């Protein structure tokens, strides 16, 4: 798999019937090892090990309803009261982070109304804080710690 701009760790990778799988500790199961999943597992590890995110307050592949259609947020971060704080969108390392990616995650946010959006392709990481009172957003200089994230609440 690709080298990422994230801390190294030893994920549990296996192979069955010629297909590779990686263990997702959030979903507690093995999932297909795609380039996007490689990024997700490294980013989640980074959040937990470096940024202080409680593993039990993260959820992967969260279904949201959007205009009578269902979509899946790659990762949602919750507070201690299980209110959503942030949505994270992952792309494969070769995929550029563009305005279209931010528009995708902003559409997901219509139903969750979180205060922070994060996007990563494993090499580049971007985040923004949503200010609903001013109908504006500001880009973050770095991925916030969990304590900083809870401070971004509205």
């Amino acid at each position: 798999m690709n080298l990422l701009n994230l801390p190294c760790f030893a994920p549990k990778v296996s192979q069955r019937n010629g297909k590779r799988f990686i263990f997702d500790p959030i979903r507690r199961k093995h999932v297909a090892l795609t380039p996007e999943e490689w990024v997700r597992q490294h980013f989640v590890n980074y959040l937990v090990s470096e940024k202080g995110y409680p593993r039990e307050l993260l959820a992967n592949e969260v279904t949201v309803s959007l205009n009578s259609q269902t979509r899946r947020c790659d990762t949602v971060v919750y507070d201690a009261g299980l209110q959503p704080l942030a949505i994270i969108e992952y792309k494969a390392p070769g995929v550029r982070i563009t305005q279209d990616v931010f528009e995708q995650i902003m559409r997901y946010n219509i139903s969750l109304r979180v205060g922070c959006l994060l996007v990563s392709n494993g090499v580049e990481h971007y985040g923004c804080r949503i200010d609903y009172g001013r109908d504006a957003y500001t880009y973050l200089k770095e991925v916030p710690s969990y304590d900083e994230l809870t401070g971004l609440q509205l």
Side-chain angles (χ1 to χ4, degrees):
M1 283 284 147
N2 298 53
L3 289 175
L4 305 176
N5 182 19
L6 292 164
C8 291
F9 83 110
K12 295 177 185 174
V13 177
S14 62
Q15 190 163 334
R16 285 184 300 216
N17 300 326
K19 294 181 182 177
R20 295 179 73 194
F21 295 86
I22 189 168
F23 183 73
D24 179 353
I26 304 301
R27 291 179 274 182
R28 296 184 191 111
K29 66 179 185 177
H30 284 86
V31 296
L33 178 53
T34 63
E36 183 178 306
E37 193 63 43
W38 185 251
V39 170
R40 180 197 329 258
Q41 294 307 318
H42 278 77
F43 200 86
V44 165
N45 177 71
Y46 165 67
L47 292 176
V48 171
S49 65
E50 306 278 327
K51 294 292 187 172
Y53 285 60
R55 186 180 311 271
E56 60 275 7
L57 295 178
L58 300 173
N60 288 335
E61 297 292 327
V62 175
T63 301
V64 294
S65 294
L66 185 62
N67 297 327
S68 71
Q69 296 180 338
T70 58
R71 299 285 185 242
R72 284 200 184 116
C73 299
D74 288 340
T75 300
V76 176
V77 181
Y78 295 91
D79 67 13
L82 299 181
Q83 295 302 306
L85 291 174
I87 301 171
I88 308 169
E89 178 68 24
Y90 307 105
K91 297 298 179 189
V95 176
R96 288 187 46 230
I97 305 296
T98 63
Q99 185 63 34
D100 287 344
V101 175
F102 270 98
E103 288 174 11
Q104 175 187 359
I105 196 171
M106 285 182 189
R107 281 191 300 274
Y108 296 164
N109 195 35
I110 291 170
S111 61
L112 293 181
R113 286 189 55 90
V114 300
C116 182
L117 304 175
L118 300 170
V119 177
S120 176
N121 64 6
V123 179
E124 298 177 302
H125 324 295
Y126 297 99
C128 64
R129 178 190 183 281
I130 309 295
D131 183 339
Y132 292 99
R134 295 187 315 151
D135 197 27
Y137 61 91
T138 53
Y139 285 99
L140 303 171
K141 293 181 182 182
E142 63 181 323
V143 175
S145 70
Y146 187 75
D147 288 342
E148 292 167 334
L149 182 65
T150 58
L152 291 176
Q153 280 193 315
L154 309 172

